[in-house]
Amino acid sequence: MAQPLRLALLPSDTPRAQEAAAALEESGLFVPLEDADVAVVLGGDGHMLHVLHSMLDSGRVIPAYGINFGTLGFVMNRPKSSRSLHERIARAKPLAVTPLEMVATTGSGKQESFCAINEVSLLRETRQTARIEVSVNGKVRLRELTCDGILVATPAGSTAYNYSASGPILPLGSSMLALTPISPFRPRRWRGAIIPDHYEIDFRVLDPVKRPVAAVADQKELRDIMAVKIKVARQHQLTLLFDPGKTLEDRIFAEQFEF
């Protein structure tokens, strides 16, 4: 007989998530994250992002099953079910999510690397618009984009900040990335591009002293940016677990018909 999966319980610090965690902990079925087969994440989308990044940083990456005790819960499962937690996880459908890798060069010449599950954004730091050169696969595509910023979104993140910036919603199996400007001023008619995810994207800040730019990889921010290189980090693939019929792919598709 197969051994039951070992579960780690990772609640957010909100009262709802803590109350749900206390009720689940009465079963005594949970183990520390380092000993677990699946991470059970209680909270909202922000807490799930935090947990996934913590796993990436630690090098200990296991499937994550989220239960929504937050607000939107786009990447979470519904809180209530007639099935036990072990039954739900045993029936859950896995979904592979591949993050982006951002390598940013600051004004001092230092390079720092972060992963982004949703998007990498370049944002102006002052009232002055940013001026950014955009290259794809080593070829300059926009010699000067004047804007509040620009972002690169994964399919999983395409319904988040990217969608608010009027970027496209990408199906999970599309193998594409969204390149979306934020409040573009020049060229006025450029509204972004959809790029194969095996391409590399480079941004160069054209006037970093007068028009400083910050780079943000999901929740991690760097300031005084000179250049940013972005590519898909296939070596850091993550797995999310969803109840049947409620997968992230289903939700992303449905977003295109909801108003």
Side-chain angles (χ1 to χ4, degrees):
M1 180 181 296
Q3 292 295 319
L5 292 171
R6 296 170 298 172
L7 308 181
L9 191 61
L10 303 173
S12 72
D13 57 5
T14 64
R16 286 183 65 209
Q18 289 293 317
E19 182 180 347
L24 287 170
E25 283 172 342
E26 292 179 359
S27 67
L29 297 175
F30 300 99
V31 300
L33 182 61
E34 57 267 24
D35 299 324
D37 301 307
V38 175
V40 179
V41 182
L42 308 183
D45 294 336
H47 184 56
M48 175 62 86
L49 269 182
H50 171 74
V51 169
L52 294 176
H53 276 289
S54 295
M55 289 197 289
L56 286 172
D57 292 342
S58 70
R60 167 71 173 160
V61 177
I62 59 176
Y65 180 86
I67 302 178
N68 185 26
F69 290 99
T71 305
L72 183 60
F74 197 75
V75 297
M76 314 298 275
N77 295 285
R78 63 189 185 280
K80 294 182 179 180
S81 174
S82 60
R83 300 179 184 274
S84 71
L85 181 58
H86 270 282
E87 287 178 313
R88 294 181 72 177
I89 292 174
R91 297 178 71 249
K93 304 298 183 183
L95 176 72
V97 174
T98 307
L100 302 171
E101 180 184 27
M102 173 190 83
V103 179
T105 304
T106 64
S108 65
K110 182 180 179 182
Q111 286 193 336
E112 295 208 41
S113 177
F114 294 116
C115 284
I117 298 162
N118 278 352
E119 75 277 319
V120 171
S121 308
L122 269 66
L123 304 167
R124 65 184 175 98
E125 291 187 30
T126 68
R127 60 184 175 82
Q128 296 274 10
T129 55
R131 294 173 57 233
I132 299 170
E133 179 189 84
V134 180
S135 298
V136 179
N137 264 11
K139 182 175 182 179
V140 176
R141 293 293 180 177
L142 286 175
R143 295 199 175 277
E144 183 176 324
L145 173 64
T146 306
C147 57
D148 281 356
I150 188 169
L151 63 84
V152 180
T154 66
S158 66
T159 58
Y161 189 12
N162 171 71
Y163 189 47
S164 298
S166 300
I169 294 177
L170 302 175
L172 280 176
S174 64
S175 300
M176 294 290 178
L177 301 173
L179 180 61
T180 302
I182 303 166
S183 301
F185 181 67
R186 290 283 189 275
R188 195 175 292 275
R189 282 187 278 181
W190 190 67
R191 289 296 178 264
I194 297 174
I195 295 174
D197 68 1
H198 58 276
Y199 285 10
E200 292 188 2
I201 301 166
D202 287 277
F203 300 124
R204 184 167 67 92
V205 180
L206 297 178
D207 195 353
V209 176
K210 182 179 179 181
R211 302 168 185 268
V213 169
V216 183
D218 284 347
Q219 302 156 335
K220 296 180 180 178
E221 178 178 345
L222 289 172
R223 289 179 171 262
D224 187 26
I225 295 299
M226 300 288 290
V228 169
K229 180 182 291 291
I230 299 167
K231 63 181 180 180
V232 169
R234 301 190 191 281
Q235 72 276 20
H236 294 307
Q237 184 172 285
L238 300 159
T239 302
L240 298 177
L241 300 175
F242 291 94
D243 293 332
K246 299 290 183 181
T247 68
L248 183 59
E249 187 169 16
D250 296 329
R251 296 174 194 187
I252 288 177
F253 183 76
E255 279 287 306
Q256 298 176 83
F257 298 94
E258 294 182 2
F259 296 93

